[in-house]
């Protein structure tokens, strides 16, 4: 019960919709909220058959782990061919333990996990003079997320610059048109707001044009968090990745993140750097393969990469695996699950964020106290002992006020045990 409503619960509701033969909606984002109006990720529909057999958030987490694990294979095989077995093993382990992967896995599930093996395969093909293969691997990225068409466009430009102009220009045009169509036509038509929601991240301040100029110049490297993130992206490659043209593929992702006014986009938290990891390591292998014929420094670079990757591990979520408290069962979990059994299937529920993923498979659950949640649910379940740093969207004071409001407006307490409060709306 350390997962969250945002985003594991949202993605499970999306996949559950596909499994039920409906266009995807996420109750957690609002009543009947159309998911394709927020992010263009129809690739999630491929999980529907698995979810039909096993309706659980575990499906999402296992699939994500598998997709990331698969992405290690093409990069390591490529390194084996050009650098030898020892270097390939080190590069593969360094990539697998990289902080961008750790941060993504540590923050539940996200659709960009599908992009990781596609990017690894596309960049491997591109570096090994297989332009058609590179383009074919890259094209499905437009089904993963709306901004990834720009990565396809950059891959197409690199292919064109290497002599395959027809294939490269076609791929670049396809990627650019796909992104523009998704953001400017399809998603506004689906979204309840009638526009692409995430353009709000790019809104300027009252300074108008001056703010826009700042964002796309000095704003790309300020505040310091952005520079720190960029350094951490390149550090496991000892900055050798800068010598490979493959690194250009991460430019669109870095650009929209650093132009954004959302602080979480700038740093190392969550899934935002996941797609950068295969690009950085592909560029690293590409640069090492070129350097191999210049001098004998490949071994030093590989060992330096391993050292940098290992030094970063304690600062990111993989370090939890060697902490004893990670493997201890909290007895409150059993209490929570026994209480949730009281809630019938398909009931409308509001729940605390950490409880939501326990209920998404069988109820219509939204987030307790959140302004977009469906009002007047049949059931409310709240964990009042959540630590301060994990509380969202309500702090302890506002949570108590929301509970008092529920008690005063027709809800009665069914159970109050170990900090869990289960309420039910009284019959009219």
């Amino acid at each position: 019960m350390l997962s969250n409503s945002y985003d594991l619960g949202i993605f499970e509701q999306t996949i559950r919709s596909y499994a039920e033969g409906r266009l995807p909606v996420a109750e957690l984002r609002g009543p009947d909220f159309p998911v394709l109006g927020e992010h263009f990720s129809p690739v999630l529909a491929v999980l529907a058959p698995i979810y039909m057999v096993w309706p659980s958030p575990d499906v999402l987490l296992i699939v994500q782990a598998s997709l990331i694990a698969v992405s290690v294979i093409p990069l390591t095989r490529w390194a084996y061919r050009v650098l030898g077995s020892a270097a390939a093993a080190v590069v593969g382990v360094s990539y697998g333990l990289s902080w961008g992967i750790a941060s993504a896995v540590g923050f539940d599930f996200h659709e960009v996990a599908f992009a990781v093996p596609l990017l690894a395969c596309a960049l491997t093909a591109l570096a090994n003079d297989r332009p058609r293969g590179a383009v074919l691997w890259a094209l499905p990225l437009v089904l993963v997320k709306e901004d990834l068409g720009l990565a396809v466009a950059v891959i197409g430009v690199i292919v064109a610059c290497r002599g395959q102009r027809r294939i490269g220009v076609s791929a670049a045009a396809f990627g650019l048109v796909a992104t523009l169509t998704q953001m400017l036509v399809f998603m506004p038509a689906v979204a309840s707001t009638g526009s692409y929601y995430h353009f709000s991240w790019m809104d300027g301040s009252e300074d108008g044009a001056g703010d826009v100029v700042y964002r796309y110049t000095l704003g790309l490297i300020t505040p310091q968090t952005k520079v720190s993130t960029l350094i951490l992206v390149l550090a496991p490659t000892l900055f050798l990745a800068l010598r490979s043209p493959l690194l250009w593929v991460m430019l669109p992702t870095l650009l929209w993140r650093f132009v954004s006014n959302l602080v979480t986009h700038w740093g190392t938290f969550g899934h935002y750097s996941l797609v950068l990891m295969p690009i950085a390591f592909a560029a690293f292998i590409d640069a090492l393969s070129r350097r191999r014929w210049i001098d004998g420094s490949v071994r030093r670079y590989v060992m330096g990469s391993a050292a940098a990757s290992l030094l970063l591990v304690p600062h990111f979520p993989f370090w939890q695996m060697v902490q004893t408290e990670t493997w201890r069962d909290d007895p409150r979990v059993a209490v929570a699950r026994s209480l949730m059994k009281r809630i019938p299937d398909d009931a409308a529920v509001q729940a605390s964020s950490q409880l939501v993923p326990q209920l998404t498979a069988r109820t219509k659950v939204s987030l307790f106290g959140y302004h977009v949640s469906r009002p007047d649910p049949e059931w409310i379940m709240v964990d009042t002992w959540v630590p301060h740093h994990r509380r969202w969207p309500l702090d302890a004071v506002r949570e108590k006020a929301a509970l008092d409001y529920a008690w005063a407006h027709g809800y009665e307490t069914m159970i109050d045990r170990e900090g869990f409060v289960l309420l039910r709306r009284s019959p009219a």
Side-chain angles (χ1 to χ4, degrees):
M1 283 173 43
L2 297 178
S3 294
N4 298 278
S5 57
Y6 280 52
D7 293 318
L8 182 59
I10 289 174
F11 281 110
E12 186 178 2
Q13 288 181 335
T14 300
I15 294 165
R16 181 181 173 185
S17 298
Y18 282 124
E20 293 173 350
R22 300 181 287 117
L23 288 175
V25 296
E27 188 81 3
L28 286 158
R29 295 289 286 120
D32 298 319
F33 181 87
V35 175
L36 289 175
E38 182 175 24
H39 283 305
F40 188 80
S41 303
V43 69
L44 293 172
V46 304
L47 298 185
I50 306 174
Y51 191 83
M52 291 171 66
V53 176
W54 184 15
S56 167
D58 294 346
V59 167
L60 283 67
L61 300 177
I62 291 171
V63 166
Q64 175 172 260
S66 301
L67 289 167
I68 293 172
V70 166
S71 73
V72 179
I73 297 172
L75 295 175
T76 306
R77 285 172 59 97
W78 171 22
Y80 174 78
R81 288 195 303 271
V82 297
L83 303 174
S85 58
V90 174
V91 170
V93 170
S94 296
Y95 167 69
L97 292 177
S98 60
W99 65 266
I101 287 176
S103 294
V105 172
F107 188 48
D108 299 339
F109 172 91
H110 290 88
E111 76 280 75
V112 289
F114 283 91
V116 179
L118 292 173
L119 283 167
C121 290
L123 296 175
T124 298
L126 182 57
N128 287 275
D129 297 321
R130 300 199 308 273
R132 189 179 299 274
V135 168
L136 290 176
W137 280 113
L139 291 181
L141 289 169
V142 302
L143 302 177
V144 176
K145 195 162 170 279
E146 63 276 5
D147 64 289
L148 289 174
L150 300 178
V152 177
V154 175
I155 290 172
V157 169
I158 296 174
V159 169
C161 290
R162 293 188 172 183
Q164 298 291 329
R165 293 191 177 182
R166 183 174 180 180
I167 297 175
V169 171
S170 298
F174 176 81
L176 182 60
V177 169
T179 288
L180 292 176
T181 302
Q182 290 162 10
M183 290 185 177
L184 301 179
V185 180
F186 179 84
M187 297 171 69
V190 175
S192 56
T193 59
S195 63
Y196 178 52
Y197 171 79
H198 296 296
F199 278 147
S200 61
W201 296 338
M202 316 299 175
D203 284 348
S205 68
E206 295 178 356
D207 295 334
D211 180 65
V212 172
V213 172
Y214 173 79
R215 282 186 182 222
Y216 284 88
T217 53
L218 290 176
L220 293 174
I221 56 174
T222 56
Q224 183 182 342
T225 304
K226 299 176 183 179
V227 176
S228 299
T229 297
L230 189 56
I231 290 173
L232 287 173
V233 168
L234 298 172
T237 75
L238 302 186
F239 298 90
L240 190 64
L242 289 168
R243 300 192 178 188
S244 170
L246 300 184
L247 202 65
W248 286 99
V249 179
M250 69 169 61
L251 186 61
T253 298
L254 289 173
L255 186 61
W256 75 253
R257 285 180 59 185
F258 291 171
V259 170
S260 170
N261 57 25
L262 193 61
V263 176
T264 52
H265 289 162
W266 306 342
T268 59
F269 173 75
H271 62 289
Y272 298 110
S273 296
L274 178 58
V275 297
L276 303 182
M277 294 298 104
I279 302 171
F281 276 86
F284 182 46
I285 298 168
D286 185 44
L288 283 175
S289 66
R290 299 164 187 262
R291 196 169 188 86
R292 180 183 179 188
W293 309 110
I294 301 174
D295 56 43
S297 62
V298 169
R299 181 178 178 182
R300 293 195 299 273
Y301 274 106
V302 169
M303 297 311 296
S305 170
S309 298
L310 291 174
L311 285 172
L312 290 172
V313 167
H315 302 284
F316 293 94
F318 281 156
W319 192 245
Q320 296 173 19
M321 293 194 296
V322 298
Q323 306 297 308
T324 54
E325 57 267 24
T326 300
W327 307 103
R328 291 176 183 159
D329 288 335
D330 184 346
R332 295 183 68 240
V333 172
V335 175
R337 288 177 176 162
S338 68
L339 266 61
M340 282 186 277
K341 289 180 180 178
R342 300 288 192 95
I343 302 173
D345 293 351
D346 296 320
V349 188
Q350 282 191 18
S352 298
S353 186
Q354 288 75 31
L355 299 175
V356 163
Q358 312 294 323
L359 294 163
T360 42
R362 64 180 189 86
T363 68
K364 300 172 183 176
V365 62
S366 55
L367 192 58
F368 177 67
Y370 200 33
H371 68 281
V372 301
S373 294
R374 186 181 293 274
D376 303 320
E378 301 168 56
W379 296 81
I380 294 174
M381 185 168 174
V382 180
D383 182 358
T384 62
W385 289 3
V386 175
H388 174 74
H389 67 280
R390 298 205 70 207
R391 284 186 174 274
W392 185 80
L394 302 178
D395 57 26
V397 174
R398 291 191 297 158
E399 179 181 88
K400 184 179 184 304
L403 284 171
D404 289 341
Y405 182 87
W407 282 315
H409 289 79
Y411 286 86
E412 57 182 351
T413 301
M414 302 297 293
I415 303 176
D416 185 345
R417 187 187 308 164
E418 293 289 323
F420 296 106
V421 179
L422 179 63
L423 309 180
R424 184 178 183 183
R425 190 176 62 209
S426 302

